[in-house]
Amino acid sequence: MDPIRETHLTEPGLLVVDVAGLDDDTVFAFQDAIARMWGTSIAERTTRDVGQPGVRLRMYTDLRQVLAQASPPEPVTGTQ
C-alpha cells in the first residue's frame, strides 16, 4: 500500500479520499455512504495495483455541501 501523502488544499472543507478495500462492492458502498451526506464527485470504476490484493477508489468530497436529504447512518448488524 502506498504511503499517505499530506496535501494542503486551497479551501477548508475539501477532501480527496483514497479508499482501499477487498472488492468493488466494498469501496462503492463506502462511497455511497459518503455521497448521501456531502457533495461528492462519484467514481464509476476502481483501480487495481498489480500484484496487490484488493481495489482502490479516489473520491472528491466537499464537506461544506451538506445534503438536506441526508439520513442518519444505518446500524450494521452481524449475522448470527
Side-chain angles (χ1 to χ4, degrees):
M1 183 164 296
D2 293 334
I4 295 172
R5 294 187 198 125
E6 185 175 332
T7 302
H8 294 279
L9 300 173
T10 59
E11 297 179 43
L14 300 177
L15 299 177
V16 177
V17 181
D18 285 320
V19 181
L22 182 62
D23 55 32
D24 287 354
D25 291 338
T26 302
V27 296
F28 284 129
F30 177 81
Q31 175 179 257
D32 290 343
I34 297 300
R36 284 194 304 265
M37 292 184 280
W38 295 292
T40 303
S41 174
I42 302 296
E44 295 181 4
R45 64 174 190 228
T46 59
T47 59
R48 297 180 185 277
D49 293 332
V50 177
Q52 298 292 320
V55 298
R56 291 178 176 267
L57 175 140
R58 175 169 282 183
M59 54 193 277
Y60 301 88
T61 301
D62 186 347
L63 299 180
R64 302 168 304 176
Q65 294 183 23
V66 178
L67 302 180
Q69 68 270 22
S71 58
E74 297 178 18
V76 177
T77 58
T79 57
Q80 297 179 10

